[in-house]
Amino acid sequence: MADLVIRYPSASRRSRLRIDPGGLVRLGSFARLVTRARRFAVVSDRNVARLHAGRALRSLRGAGLTATAIVLAPGERTKGSAQLARLWDRLTELGLDREDAIVALGGGVIGDLAGFAAATYLRGVDWIALPTTLLAQVDSSVGGKTAVDLPAGKNLAGAFHQPVGVLVDPHLLATLPARQRRAGLAEVVKAGMAVDPRLFAWIERHLVALAAGEPDALAGAIERAIRAKARVVRRDEHERRRGGRTALNFGHTLGHAIEASRDYRGPLHGEAVAIGMRVAAALSVRVAGLDPAARARLEAVLDALGLPRRMPPTPLSRLLAAMRQDKKRSASGVRWVLTPRVGHASVPRLISGRLVQAALLEAGACA
Ligand code: NAD
């Protein structure tokens, strides 16, 4: 695929997105293309650094650039305000200035954290996303949302800060554990269910290959999901338009609540989103006119991809409290993104507490 250059109406700059199998070793030339920076902090976590940081650093240095690694602990708990403050300190110790840049080499945790550091350090420096999980390649590296979690909930402090470049190398997925791969597929399904009926139908046709993690099928899913997301976010960069970017939060109201209620030690983000989508589809049948057959299609796809049907037993009161804390709430209560048809998720709406509670109990919450 040729580079996809996303021009954001409100941003002073654009974001160049390249899907390049094996492209990690070409990071240096990509960096020279997308930024004038000559010095880079390459932020990653221990797992990713062990496997892939050496080649990233060599490629940057080979292109005549200066590169230093900053390696953090893996896991969602790294996406916190204390870790962000430590990262700022490391950047100052390195003496990074406003002409320098950050590379986020890792999954969504590293992308969100390093992206937010780039948004805030010296009031903003360039950053390049080099996503290494399927979830980050199909979803979190596109659209410029960066954030850290607060004790009260996920992503509660953050900024929109577009990376100047996104380099997607599908070969990096060869080292990704199967469970993480499946969790990433949940966000591909979400893109189809929320905004792209043709993508959803494509997933149905390639289910066996996707479930097996066949590289060609994954590459096809990555390209289609990125295009679907880019179409939506370039029209509604800051999630303000009714029915625009908010549609991509399908499954996330509950997904985030499950993660927060389990202290980020429970299901993976994509697994929690899968459960959230099942409940959002059930509610869509009840109040948004979704055909039960369409809900069954979603259930069948999630089942075939090995994504969970129910959450681990979680007290209803904790889930409801977490949903109220989520930033997608409004003054009047928790809003749900529902869909009347596959690929047409719409404006978030309030739903009767009784219906929500019944759906949560059915999905594994305990009274
Ligand atoms: P993650 O970053 O924690 O990565 C998952 C695990 O895989 C980690 O242990 C990591 O070390 C390991 N890993 C990463 N790449 C690897 C590779 N190539 N080989 C082997 N191991 C590898 O988790 P994630 O699922 O990528 O991201 C989840 C985060 O993304 C959540 O915090 C979520 O809120 C965020 N997110 C952000 C957006 C956005 O638009 N900004 C969208 C969706 C999700």
Side-chain angles (χ1 to χ4, degrees):
M1 165 179 144
D3 289 6
L4 183 65
V5 177
I6 310 176
R7 290 186 177 79
Y8 292 95
S10 60
S12 54
R13 52 187 170 181
R14 53 202 189 160
S15 202
R16 179 178 292 270
L17 196 149
R18 175 175 296 178
I19 302 178
D20 178 11
L24 176 65
V25 297
R26 291 178 282 280
L27 170 62
S29 55
F30 184 71
R32 278 192 165 272
L33 179 68
V34 296
T35 173
R36 283 211 282 269
R38 292 293 170 261
R39 225 161 26 140
F40 292 80
V42 178
V43 182
S44 61
D45 71 30
R46 265 199 309 277
N47 299 335
V48 176
R50 187 171 48 81
L51 295 160
H52 304 298
R55 276 177 295 157
L57 293 166
R58 276 196 296 282
S59 174
L60 288 166
R61 290 170 188 154
L65 305 167
T66 303
T68 311
I70 298 179
V71 181
L72 309 171
E76 181 72 29
R77 292 163 72 83
T78 287
K79 216 180 103 176
S81 50
Q83 291 78 0
L84 174 66
R86 275 205 288 279
L87 180 52
W88 284 328
D89 289 344
R90 291 282 292 121
L91 297 173
T92 48
E93 283 158 24
L94 289 178
L96 233 67
D97 67 31
R98 289 189 75 171
E99 307 304 312
D100 299 330
I102 293 175
V103 174
L105 174 69
V109 163
I110 291 297
D112 280 8
L113 176 78
F116 191 36
T120 46
Y121 180 69
L122 303 179
R123 297 200 182 88
V125 295
D126 281 356
W127 72 292
I128 294 173
L130 212 162
T132 63
T133 61
L134 182 58
L135 183 136
Q137 295 192 347
V138 297
D139 192 0
S140 64
S141 60
V142 181
K145 277 190 183 178
T146 70
V148 293
D149 304 330
L150 300 181
K154 254 183 92 82
N155 300 332
L156 288 184
F160 288 97
H161 186 55
Q162 300 296 341
V164 290
V166 181
L167 181 59
V168 175
D169 177 356
H171 286 183
L172 298 178
L173 303 180
T175 55
L176 191 68
R179 184 180 170 199
Q180 295 286 351
R181 192 182 67 228
R182 285 196 294 272
L185 286 169
E187 295 280 17
V188 181
V189 174
K190 179 215 64 186
M193 195 65 194
V195 298
D196 189 344
R198 294 207 329 213
L199 170 58
F200 192 85
W202 183 91
I203 296 166
E204 291 179 308
R205 288 198 303 279
H206 295 82
L207 262 185
V208 175
L210 288 169
E214 283 179 18
D216 285 351
L218 292 181
I222 291 166
E223 181 172 342
R224 285 168 175 80
I226 285 176
R227 284 191 184 282
K229 183 163 183 184
R231 269 197 306 274
V232 175
V233 299
R234 69 152 68 93
R235 286 200 308 267
D236 180 25
E237 186 187 2
H238 292 156
E239 202 169 301
R240 292 204 178 108
R241 240 178 48 132
R242 288 169 65 80
R245 197 168 172 171
T246 47
L248 293 170
N249 293 326
F250 185 74
H252 282 63
T253 304
L254 176 57
H256 284 171
I258 295 172
E259 289 185 87
S261 317
R262 315 267 328 165
D263 215 9
Y264 306 106
R265 292 192 175 99
L268 301 176
H269 177 72
E271 293 171 341
V273 168
I275 300 163
M277 286 195 284
R278 291 182 194 265
V279 171
L283 291 172
S284 297
V285 170
R286 297 294 297 274
V287 302
L290 181 69
D291 184 345
R295 176 189 173 195
R297 284 172 67 192
L298 173 68
E299 296 278 357
V301 163
L302 295 174
D303 287 350
L305 296 177
L307 287 158
R309 288 187 166 183
R310 292 163 68 80
M311 65 185 101
T314 310
L316 190 58
S317 56
R318 283 189 74 172
L319 283 172
L320 294 172
M323 279 195 271
R324 281 192 290 269
Q325 290 285 357
D326 194 81
K327 64 188 180 318
K328 286 166 193 96
R329 74 196 186 282
S330 72
S332 45
V334 175
R335 290 180 179 272
W336 287 75
V337 177
L338 301 182
T339 190
R341 278 178 294 147
V342 170
H344 290 85
S346 58
V347 186
R349 52 195 276 187
L350 291 169
I351 301 190
S352 114
R354 196 178 41 80
L355 277 184
V356 170
Q357 291 196 15
L360 294 181
L361 290 170
E362 207 179 304
C366 40

